[in-house]
Amino acid sequence: MAPMGIRLSPLGMAVFCLLGLGVLYHLYSGFLAGRFAAFMPSEPAAGGPESPRGSAPAGSVDLRELLAVSVLAAARGGEEVKRVREGNVLNAKAKGKTREGADEQLTTGDLLSNRRMFYLLKSAFPAVQINSEEHVDTADQETVSWDHSIPEDIKQKIQPKEVPAESVTVWIDPLDATQEYTEDLRQYVTTMVCVAVNGKPVIGVIHKPFSAYTAWAMVDGGSNVKARSSYNEKTPRIIVSRSHAGKVEQVARQTFGNKTVIIPAGGAGYKVLALLDVAEKNQEEADVYIHVTYIKKWDICAGNAVLRALGGHMTTLTGEEISYTGSDGNEGGLIASINMNHKALIEKLPDLEKTSHK
């Protein structure tokens, strides 16, 4: 019963009740929504990150991260190469014949380096195709993880760049210059990783295990190595495979003159480094790198990428660009140069293309 003198309006009572119900609804709806949300899967906020920091979205690859892993893989493989050589447990054997009929050597260093490099790259980038010189035995799988750290020099020079994972092919050479490795000619030995995007080499890593020197470069990105500035196009120093020196020398001297210097050397990685400004006491210097026979793509892809990043060239002997898709071999020989007139060099050496098919 209302106090005396006060009449309760039916309309006022209705408004009061509705306000009360509104307050109760507001309180309980928020509480219930929170309770239900605890059982519902969460979704990222609009515009927020959908993957861990520093990682590319699913289906894509960050080339800066891939460069960092490639540098690490080359170094890890180099550790195995060095350990086996210094322990003198090579267990060298012939795995086949080259097209020239020479034995193609295989050592424990090749196999252990390959295992370490392959599984490190595969665990970091499982969606990327990896081509390696040596067979990967799945029964001998090794767990090698990457901690997602990127070296400071790469952070400073390279910006993140995402590309579709299906466009990427990685080429591994776990031990370049195996023949020289068995002969204990350590200066020629390298481990290499190359990344090609749509068949074009864009990342190259060349590591020298016995001096711990690593050269890396990314096309349209940056590098930790430079081209040399002093060249003589009239009488160039030409670096070639040890087994091809006599074959190239005759044609080269006829083309450039008797003062042309022929440098026999082992390993495609070493020969590319000879064209660059490398602070290595056991590294020779050359102006042009020529190979006159069939060569595998894992031997040359990393060097090709480094030269491209620095404005140089590596082509077949007829000047065609080398595609790093499809088969693992390059039939047309190669000529590599930097800061020189590459087209003019090719025009001066027409006879070497014929030699490459013999």
Side-chain angles (χ1 to χ4, degrees):
M1 183 175 179
M4 186 177 295
I6 299 175
R7 293 184 63 187
L8 297 178
S9 167
L11 178 61
M13 288 293 293
V15 170
F16 180 79
C17 291
L18 287 173
L19 289 173
L21 289 172
V23 171
L24 292 173
Y25 173 80
H26 176 74
L27 291 174
Y28 279 95
S29 64
F31 172 78
L32 292 174
R35 299 292 293 178
F36 280 117
F39 297 96
M40 298 296 288
S42 60
E43 295 182 2
E50 296 185 11
S51 55
R53 185 180 179 183
S55 298
S60 65
V61 172
D62 181 357
L63 290 181
R64 184 172 73 166
E65 290 188 344
L66 189 46
L67 169 59
V69 178
S70 297
V71 169
L72 180 60
R76 292 279 180 87
E79 291 171 0
E80 297 297 321
V81 168
K82 182 180 180 182
R83 182 175 63 81
V84 170
R85 177 66 266 184
E86 291 181 344
N88 199 28
V89 286
L90 274 66
N91 298 317
K93 60 182 179 180
K95 65 177 181 180
K97 295 281 188 181
T98 66
R99 291 197 177 184
E100 291 82 21
D103 286 337
E104 196 170 3
Q105 296 291 319
L106 177 68
T107 70
T108 301
D110 293 87
L111 297 175
L112 294 180
S113 174
N114 182 72
R115 183 177 68 176
R116 180 65 61 88
M117 294 173 71
F118 178 87
Y119 284 115
L120 174 57
L121 285 157
K122 197 63 179 177
S123 65
F125 297 95
V128 167
Q129 178 181 339
I130 301 177
N131 295 336
S132 179
E133 179 173 9
E134 307 305 337
H135 174 70
V136 179
D137 188 352
T138 54
D140 196 26
Q141 183 170 346
E142 180 175 352
T143 301
V144 187
S145 60
W146 177 50
D147 62 3
H148 290 270
S149 63
I150 299 177
E152 284 302 318
D153 59 340
I154 294 178
K155 279 185 180 180
Q156 293 172 6
K157 296 179 180 181
I158 307 294
Q159 295 298 315
K161 183 178 181 180
E162 294 175 11
V163 297
E166 64 267 20
S167 70
V168 175
T169 305
V170 176
W171 296 84
I172 299 175
D173 193 341
L175 201 169
D176 190 41
T178 301
Q179 180 61 47
E180 286 73 19
Y181 182 65
T182 64
E183 298 173 22
D184 209 15
L185 299 174
R186 304 184 183 193
Q187 70 271 24
Y188 297 128
V189 176
T190 62
T191 58
M192 296 187 286
V193 180
C194 176
V195 176
V197 178
N198 295 321
K200 295 183 181 297
V202 298
I203 290 176
V205 179
I206 305 175
H207 176 72
K208 299 185 78 171
F210 297 101
S211 65
Y213 173 80
T214 304
W216 60 260
M218 177 172 159
V219 175
D220 297 328
S223 69
N224 71 340
V225 65
K226 298 179 180 179
R228 289 189 300 106
S229 57
S230 58
Y231 297 90
N232 189 336
E233 291 193 43
K234 294 183 179 179
T235 57
R237 291 165 292 180
I238 300 177
I239 194 164
V240 300
S241 295
R242 296 162 69 206
S243 58
H244 299 164
K247 188 181 295 185
V248 175
E249 182 173 7
Q250 182 179 0
V251 176
R253 292 191 186 281
Q254 289 174 354
T255 304
F256 295 109
N258 291 329
K259 293 184 179 180
T260 301
V261 177
I262 303 298
I263 304 173
Y270 178 90
K271 298 184 187 81
V272 168
L273 292 178
L275 307 181
L276 308 177
D277 185 6
V278 176
E280 284 278 286
K281 63 181 181 180
N282 289 326
Q283 179 64 60
E284 295 168 282
E285 295 183 352
D287 302 310
V288 182
Y289 165 28
I290 293 176
H291 188 86
V292 296
T293 59
Y294 173 88
I295 191 168
K296 293 295 183 67
K297 291 178 181 177
W298 41 67
D299 290 319
I300 60 175
C301 186
N304 198 341
V306 171
L307 289 174
R308 285 188 69 222
L310 298 175
H313 302 274
M314 179 185 288
T315 65
T316 66
L317 293 171
T318 57
E320 296 176 0
E321 297 294 334
I322 301 168
S323 175
Y324 293 90
T325 57
S327 68
D328 59 15
N330 172 52
E331 294 281 356
L334 70 85
I335 179 168
S337 68
I338 189 167
N339 288 344
M340 298 184 74
N341 188 332
H342 193 77
K343 184 178 179 181
L345 287 173
I346 294 169
E347 292 173 350
K348 285 182 178 180
L349 297 169
D351 294 333
L352 286 179
E353 196 277 331
K354 298 177 182 177
T355 306
S356 70
H357 297 293
K358 292 182 180 179

